[in-house]
Amino acid sequence: TCTLSTSSAAITVALTDNTPTIGDITITGAGSFCNGSITTLTCSVDGDAYQWYKGETPISGETNKTLIINVTETASYKVEVIKTSPCRVAKMSDAVGVTKIDLPTAPALTTNSTNVCPGTVTLSNFKALAETNTVKWYSNADCRQEITVPTVEEGQTYTFYAKAINANGCVSEGYSTLT
């Protein structure tokens, strides 16, 4: 048997907005880089998930707080930060630019003199035509041993290597040789 009471009571329901908030998003690591350099963009805000964009296109699989970029072109990047608990909310950052700086070409090399006395050669005997770039000289092809004054002996053949470095510090991919 059920009994129905005719008295009523008021029920009060208090609603609380539990929507998570996302603060201002900044991205560090942007700027200008030599072609082929690696840079890491980092989002300043913690989230439950992330989606990185190149321009307006989502980058497939890039869902971490950081984005590692091999700089081969100039592009803009932004990140969407997503919080999911207790409600889903997402916020997009402003775009930041990553600018590619072209590498200089290897310098063209000529000698100023073919008659060099042993022990007296200096790199000023060689002219590097590298436009507005600086030239660094090396004693071996891996370009790890920079030289300023090579030592030569009579009757020996030597090979010197040169790379160009532009005003931005970018180094030519290849090198030129002078034998």
Side-chain angles (χ1 to χ4, degrees):
T1 304
C2 290
T3 308
L4 181 61
S5 172
T6 57
S7 65
S8 64
I11 298 175
T12 304
V13 177
L15 297 178
T16 304
D17 185 358
N18 288 329
T19 304
T21 59
I22 299 175
D24 291 338
I25 303 169
T26 57
I27 298 174
T28 58
S32 298
F33 303 91
C34 300
N35 185 26
S37 296
I38 303 294
T39 188
T40 301
L41 300 181
T42 303
C43 174
S44 64
V45 173
D46 289 328
D48 297 319
Y50 304 87
Q51 177 61 62
W52 286 91
Y53 291 75
K54 182 176 180 182
E56 298 300 319
T57 306
I59 305 171
S60 177
E62 296 300 341
T63 57
N64 295 312
K65 190 173 183 175
T66 60
L67 175 67
I68 299 171
I69 302 170
N70 179 0
V71 181
T72 58
E73 64 183 335
T74 295
S76 64
Y77 295 88
K78 58 187 175 182
V79 64
E80 181 179 34
V81 178
I82 302 160
K83 290 191 177 183
T84 57
S85 181
C87 306
R88 185 185 189 283
V89 64
K91 185 175 182 180
M92 186 71 74
S93 72
D94 290 334
V96 297
V98 172
T99 303
K100 176 195 80 162
I101 301 171
D102 290 327
L103 301 178
T105 57
L109 305 176
T110 60
T111 99
N112 292 337
S113 170
T114 55
N115 300 316
V116 178
C117 296
T120 62
V121 70
T122 66
L123 292 179
S124 63
N125 291 100
F126 305 106
K127 183 176 184 184
L129 305 174
E131 301 166 4
T132 60
N133 300 314
T134 301
V135 175
K136 289 209 175 187
W137 294 91
Y138 302 90
S139 60
N140 50 20
D142 66 8
C143 296
R144 292 186 183 175
Q145 183 64 43
E146 188 176 345
I147 58 174
T148 53
V149 181
T151 304
V152 297
E153 295 178 19
E154 187 173 355
Q156 299 295 313
T157 301
Y158 297 92
T159 301
F160 300 107
Y161 303 86
K163 285 193 165 207
I165 302 169
N166 66 20
N168 296 301
C170 300
V171 179
S172 60
E173 258 187 297
Y175 56 81
S176 298
T177 59
L178 184 64
T179 302

